[in-house]
Amino acid sequence: MSTARLDVLTIGNAIVDVLSRAEEDFLAGHAMPKGSMTLIDEARAVAIYDAMGPGIEVSGGSAANTAAGIASLGGKAGFVGLVRDDLLGTVFAHDIRAAGVAYATAAASSGPATARCLILVTPDGERTMNTYLGAAQNLTTDHIDRATVEAATITYLEGYLWDPPAAKAAFLDAAGIAHAAGRQVALTLSDAFCVGRYRDEFLDLMRRGVVDLVFANEAEVKALYSTADFDDALVQLRADAKQAVVTRSEKGALFTAAGATVTVPAHPVAEVVDTTGAGDLFAAGFLFGHARGIDAATALRIGALAAAEVISHIGARPQKTLADLAAGAGLIR
């Protein structure tokens, strides 16, 4: 196995987030399940955008946010995701490169517009997402560069990308390339509603060893095993996954592998402003540590610190340099 050029290569939907504050009656009035991620068409995207209050537009997308977090920690991150050659596509490409992430996916010259996610943040900090996938769903195996995958210690896929069949094929192709090169493959389950759509397929990926490391939150693990009992779900997860990270909000997080489990508490945060990106940044912290050979407990703590930073402000990418925060906490040198 050659020396890796990237710590982590993430593959996911290239999306521009539009964030706005909203009361819960706005969600109810527009039939939005609170805390969910709903896929919408372009007409619905226009209707919600017109009804939203003032918004903040920032480049996002789950796997892209994770890549930006890894770069903020001082790691070497790459991202694969498709945009259109339009204004939002230009904004997305500029932002992710400015964050220090290697991004070389050529923009599409025709077809749907660049994806956008309309995020409504309620007063408790919870986010409800309405996603128009646009160009992002047209990612194919043609966009997977073999040499780049082979050069990454870990290739990481967001579960949201499992919706479009061609993108699904692209991930499976990347996973095969990574394993042939002796690299690791990770998957985030992304959303309980996403798990509901693809439960059997996600379980199959774990059981066949297509993925080596699974990321999930408590709700997603329960959804995966169709149970309200977290302990029962965790027992089943240990049996199916080679390695898994589970976040539990204020209850902290855990890593389990080979029958052993490590747990850490949540990192303290003065005020929860917006939970958008919390899971993405937790994954960034853990993946950074895991790729660098840092022990699981410390990697979990780096993830908790990164998540705490991102929920302290509006937006899904860090506003402070995570490497400085982690060094100040004694987690990295």
Side-chain angles (χ1 to χ4, degrees):
M1 183 175 69
S2 61
T3 302
R5 179 169 53 84
L6 294 174
D7 293 306
V8 184
L9 175 68
T10 73
I11 304 175
N13 290 315
I15 299 175
V16 175
D17 292 338
V18 182
L19 298 103
S20 179
R21 294 191 178 278
E23 299 298 326
E24 298 204 16
D25 58 358
F26 181 91
L27 305 184
H30 291 269
M32 299 176 188
K34 183 180 176 182
S36 67
M37 193 291 289
T38 303
L39 295 176
I40 58 175
D41 60 20
E42 190 168 5
R44 171 83 165 153
V46 171
I48 294 173
Y49 183 82
D50 288 345
M52 291 170 65
I56 299 172
E57 294 185 355
V58 293
S59 295
S62 176
N65 292 336
T66 296
I70 291 165
S72 183
L73 282 161
K76 297 176 181 178
F79 174 70
V80 176
L82 186 63
V83 298
R84 175 68 195 272
D85 59 352
D86 53 20
L87 178 59
L88 288 182
T90 300
V91 168
F92 178 90
H94 171 272
D95 285 358
I96 196 162
R97 289 171 182 146
V101 176
Y103 176 58
T105 309
S109 59
S110 61
T114 295
R116 72 286 315 264
C117 182
L118 308 177
I119 303 175
L120 287 307
V121 183
T122 42
D124 60 358
E126 183 64 87
R127 79 279 190 273
T128 300
M129 300 181 289
N130 300 271
T131 304
Y132 167 60
L133 288 174
Q137 65 187 332
N138 289 342
L139 189 78
T140 71
T141 54
D142 290 339
H143 298 106
I144 302 300
D145 180 70
R146 174 178 293 273
T148 303
V149 175
E150 291 174 341
T153 299
I154 303 169
T155 293
Y156 172 85
L157 171 85
E158 64 177 70
Y160 290 137
L161 197 62
W162 205 248
D163 282 295
K168 183 182 301 187
F171 171 64
L172 292 174
D173 183 52
I177 293 169
H179 280 153
R183 307 302 193 184
Q184 293 187 54
V185 177
L187 167 72
T188 174
L189 300 187
S190 294
D191 181 278
F193 292 88
C194 185
V195 173
R197 293 193 296 276
Y198 299 112
R199 177 183 297 107
D200 291 343
E201 292 178 63
F202 286 164
L203 286 171
D204 182 62
L205 291 175
M206 294 158 53
R207 290 166 178 167
R208 288 196 296 117
V210 176
V211 297
D212 307 295
L213 173 61
V214 177
F215 288 83
N217 63 28
E218 184 169 348
E220 291 155 8
V221 171
K222 290 177 180 177
L224 186 64
Y225 293 104
S226 302
T227 179
D229 187 324
F230 174 72
D231 290 335
D232 176 53
L234 186 59
V235 168
Q236 296 183 71
L237 180 66
R238 288 192 186 108
D240 287 333
K242 293 180 183 178
Q243 304 171 94
V245 173
V246 182
T247 57
R248 306 187 69 192
S249 299
E250 71 279 359
K251 299 175 186 175
L254 62 87
F255 170 75
T256 182
T261 300
V262 178
T263 62
V264 302
H267 190 86
V269 57
E271 179 186 8
V272 176
V273 175
D274 172 20
T275 59
T276 308
D280 304 336
L281 269 294
F282 191 100
F286 185 88
L287 286 166
F288 168 81
H290 193 60
R292 295 288 179 101
I294 295 173
D295 66 275
T298 302
L300 288 171
R301 290 189 177 95
I302 297 171
L305 179 147
E309 192 284 334
V310 84
I311 66 175
S312 69
H313 56 75
I314 289 285
R317 294 191 181 173
Q319 293 182 355
K320 297 179 181 178
T321 303
L322 296 179
D324 292 342
L325 295 179
L331 298 173
I332 62 174
R333 295 179 180 178

